[in-house]
Amino acid sequence: RIQILFEQLKMSNTKIGDISTDAMTLTRFMMEEQQKYPQASGSLTLLLSSLATACKATEAAVRKAGIAQLYGISGDTNTTGDEQKKLDVLANELFVNLLKSSYQTCAMVSEENENMIEVPVAKHGKYIVCFDPLDGSSNIDCLVSIGSIFGIYRREKEGHVSKEDCLLPGNKLAAAGYCVFGTACMMVFSTGNGVNGFTLDPSIGEFILTAPNMTIPEKGKIYSTNEGNAKYLDNNLQRYLNDCKFPKDGGKPMSARYVGSMVADVHRTICYGGVFMYPGNSTAPNGKLRLLYECNPMAFIVEQAGGLAVTGRGDERVLDVVPSSLHQRAPIYLGSKKDIQTILTYLRGDA
């Protein structure tokens, strides 16, 4: 009987009943990817592992927020003037402490901290991490999907670390990702070789590869934006939105979907196609989203998935914008290639 069981395992190689015996965990995936680069030191693998732990800890806090009385406002505001929720503060501390203790970072930029967070020299590594520890926090108390976003840069020079070391364009990202806390917890990231998604299996506390080689459809049927700001938008963009609802050819209109959590809206856009945008307008020329830890990581992932991410200023890529401050804002249009190309046609006034 034992011999038969081993033969069955050899044939299936993956399951006994509903239990996988050869699951591709996040840790295993990163180790296997590392083997492809003989010169790799393993530093990035260790850093991503620490980020995964931070995401797991944050997800656990989100799941028990009501019971642990973590809903509500902490009484402070963050660097961009948003009221901080209790979970914002907790998630930020989790990310900062876990990244410091990874020994792989020298500096961090967080939405919740006005200044750069410098890591003690004894714990210095070669990476700079920019992150939004809890994106979409205005949705926390009503149980809507939220998430975390991060971007990883290699430090370009030695010596004392300064704010200027963190002001790097997105085209210099070594890796980027996000973790969405919704009906399940999924971590999606890229190291520049495609995009992969890992779902947290709570029974073993590990992220399991469930969405390998994620690609965004070339064209979608969904547009996502805060149309409450339509009166402040450029006339060309207003025409685009109107044509989404009332197509010139009399065809079926696009569907409107807007969660208000960038992680949730972008994740849906990658899965189903279409466009997500937070453009500049007459009251906020640079939009609302922050370049270093929101726009750049998401633009990197979308481009790696086969989409486009632009600022709407000509054909400028989001990843080519050189930041001048840690919390700089930038307009963003990202999504399916053909949909973004259509928007650019409208913005140029050619449609």
Side-chain angles (χ1 to χ4, degrees), residues 268-279:
R268 183 199 56 247
T269 302
I270 293 173
C271 291
Y272 300 152
V275 60
F276 166 82
M277 52 186 168
Y278 210 110

Side-chain angles (χ1 to χ4, degrees), residues 190-336:
S190 173
T191 56
N193 295 297
V195 181
N196 294 278
F198 299 79
T199 300
L200 181 63
D201 183 344
S203 66
I204 60 172
E206 262 285 9
F207 283 106
I208 305 297
L209 180 64
T210 54
N213 301 315
M214 295 173 68
T215 56
I216 187 170
E218 194 173 30
K219 182 172 176 55
K221 300 177 181 179
I222 298 171
Y223 73 95
S224 180
T225 189
N226 182 2
E227 285 198 81
N229 292 327
K231 65 177 286 186
Y232 303 118
L233 296 178
D234 174 88
N235 289 336
N236 289 330
L237 191 52
Q238 288 188 27
R239 286 195 304 107
Y240 169 77
L241 293 174
N242 187 69
D243 289 347
C244 286
K245 293 173 283 197
F246 305 96
K248 293 177 182 178
D249 61 4
K252 188 176 180 180
M254 294 182 74
S255 297
R257 300 283 186 272
Y258 186 68
V259 176
S261 298
M262 188 187 190
V263 168
D265 283 314
V266 172
H267 185 67
R268 183 199 56 247
T269 302
I270 293 173
C271 291
Y272 300 152
V275 60
F276 166 82
M277 52 186 168
Y278 210 110
N281 58 48
S282 60
T283 63
N286 291 317
K288 177 186 176 184
L289 301 177
R290 272 70 63 169
L291 179 62
L292 277 176
Y293 43 80
E294 290 178 321
C295 296
N296 276 346
M298 290 306 202
F300 183 82
I301 292 167
V302 166
E303 285 199 2
Q304 285 293 314
L308 293 176
V310 299
T311 63
R313 301 164 179 157
D315 294 331
E316 182 183 46
R317 295 166 67 219
V318 171
L319 297 180
D320 290 336
V321 178
V322 179
S324 57
S325 63
L326 296 179
H327 302 286
Q328 179 176 329
R329 300 175 190 266
I332 187 168
Y333 305 78
L334 60 76
S336 298

Side-chain angles (χ1 to χ4, degrees), residues 163-197:
K163 179 183 76 172
E164 285 66 34
D165 292 318
C166 303
L167 299 178
L168 298 170
N171 55 33
K172 293 188 177 182
L173 278 164
Y178 63 83
C179 192
V180 58
F181 312 127
T183 53
C185 175
M186 175 175 269
M187 184 174 177
V188 176
F189 77 92
S190 173
T191 56
N193 295 297
V195 181
N196 294 278

Side-chain angles (χ1 to χ4, degrees), residues 67-128:
I67 297 170
Q69 298 183 351
L70 291 172
Y71 290 145
I73 298 169
S74 69
D76 297 316
T77 57
N78 63 18
T79 57
T80 53
D82 298 328
E83 289 185 324
Q84 283 184 315
K85 300 296 182 76
K86 294 176 184 177
L87 270 175
D88 280 320
V89 177
L90 175 61
N92 190 54
E93 290 183 3
L94 284 168
F95 269 78
V96 170
N97 290 332
L98 282 162
L99 288 172
K100 278 184 179 179
S101 62
S102 72
Y103 287 82
Q104 306 305 321
T105 62
C106 58
M108 292 172 268
V109 177
S110 168
E111 182 187 18
E112 308 302 328
N113 294 77
E114 181 177 357
N115 300 313
M116 176 196 76
I117 304 165
E118 186 172 357
V119 176
V121 175
K123 295 184 177 181
H124 261 203
K126 61 183 179 181
Y127 293 102
I128 295 169

